[in-house]
Amino acid sequence: LSRTPANVAVLGPPCVGKHTQADALRRAFGVCRISAKELMSASSSDEEAVRTLGTLLQRNECRRGFVLDGFPTTVAQAARLDEELAKQKKTLDAAIFLDAPEDVLVERC
């Protein structure tokens, strides 16, 4: 893999295509994808979700980088994410916000 590693968050409203785009980025950059659904189903609080994320980021498949699919969703989660990334000496290279007209989102959902 000759592409530069990337640490990216893909954000946006439900049904906008976060999962599709996160998966495309995962394949393009050879990084792991971690979904908000994965984090929140394993946790009962923002703190636990970020702790789970910290553990997942240490997997071998995440060593080249990661794509966060729909996470963080709140300012509190973003702050905790920053703290966790700093602990691991990592940064978020980009946050991509996807949007679509409301009628399109309603149709997709």
Side-chain angles (χ1 to χ4, degrees), residues 49-76:
V50 173
R51 204 171 20 251
T52 300
L53 174 64
T55 300
L56 293 174
L57 289 176
Q58 294 174 17
R59 299 180 300 186
N60 274 344
E61 60 264 34
C62 296
R63 71 182 181 281
R64 286 191 43 79
F66 58 85
V67 178
L68 300 178
D69 177 357
F71 188 87
T73 58
T74 67
V75 173

Side-chain angles (χ1 to χ4, degrees), residues 27-50:
R27 288 190 314 273
F29 289 97
V31 298
C32 71
R33 182 183 62 80
I34 300 170
S35 72
K37 182 186 250 184
E38 183 179 0
L39 295 174
M40 298 315 286
S41 68
S43 312
S44 60
S45 69
D46 289 350
E47 197 168 301
E48 284 182 36
V50 173

Side-chain angles (χ1 to χ4, degrees), residues 6-11 25 66-68 71 91-97:
N7 299 330
V8 179
V10 180
L11 309 168
L25 289 167
F66 58 85
V67 178
L68 300 178
F71 188 87
T91 59
L92 191 62
D93 299 318
I96 301 169
F97 184 81

